[in-house]
Amino acid sequence: MMEMLANLPILMGAPEGAAGSGGSGQMMTTFVTFGLVILIFYFLIIRPQNKKQKDAKKMLEALKKGDRVVSIGGIRGTVVSVKDQTVVLKVDDNTKLEFTKSAISTVVEQGKEEASSSKKDA
């Protein structure tokens, strides 16, 4: 079995004459391939992730009283007050919960003030 594997061209290595003459061409091909892989990773993984982080940061900075939001735990509520690092949500008639701003995942509905002003502009 080992004799059969040893005779495969891939495992035998490069021919003796090719080692000196084609080394720089192979090196350049390797660098181009790595460059393309890095470029693909940038456009498929890194760039969309950065855009998503910027959008989340904008959403958290734009939170205001009256917005209906959902937390990362799935709790839905209305923003009662916004502080530097926290948000107080009204989740029931008598229940208010305080969350860290980063715990807010989405804004379901904008507050009444912004909704009425945007209708006037249109």
Side-chain angles (χ1 to χ4, degrees), residues 78-95:
T78 305
V79 176
V80 174
S81 68
V82 179
K83 300 175 186 171
D84 288 338
Q85 298 295 320
T86 61
V87 175
V88 178
L89 299 181
K90 181 178 179 183
V91 293
D92 197 17
D93 291 335
N94 299 326
T95 308

Side-chain angles (χ1 to χ4, degrees), residues 3 7 44 46 49 57 60 75 77 96 113 119:
E3 292 172 13
N7 291 330
L44 293 179
I46 298 169
Q49 184 66 30
K57 186 176 179 182
L60 291 177
I75 297 174
K96 293 180 183 175
E113 298 88 26
K119 287 180 184 177

Side-chain angles (χ1 to χ4, degrees), residues 35-105:
L36 288 174
V37 168
I38 290 170
L39 200 65
I40 289 170
F41 269 104
Y42 175 76
F43 281 108
L44 293 179
I45 297 172
I46 298 169
R47 190 167 179 245
Q49 184 66 30
N50 287 343
K51 185 177 180 190
K52 190 176 180 181
Q53 284 177 345
K54 285 181 184 178
D55 291 343
K57 186 176 179 182
K58 280 183 184 177
M59 185 234 359
L60 291 177
E61 288 173 354
L63 278 177
K64 65 184 180 327
K65 185 176 178 179
D67 289 350
R68 293 195 41 82
V69 298
V70 178
S71 73
I72 57 176
I75 297 174
R76 294 175 175 259
T78 305
V79 176
V80 174
S81 68
V82 179
K83 300 175 186 171
D84 288 338
Q85 298 295 320
T86 61
V87 175
V88 178
L89 299 181
K90 181 178 179 183
V91 293
D92 197 17
D93 291 335
N94 299 326
T95 308
K96 293 180 183 175
L97 300 173
E98 187 171 3
F99 288 94
T100 304
K101 273 189 176 180
S102 61
I104 304 300
S105 67

Side-chain angles (χ1 to χ4, degrees), residues 19-29:
S21 63
S24 64
Q26 289 176 353
M27 183 84 81
M28 189 60 137
T29 305

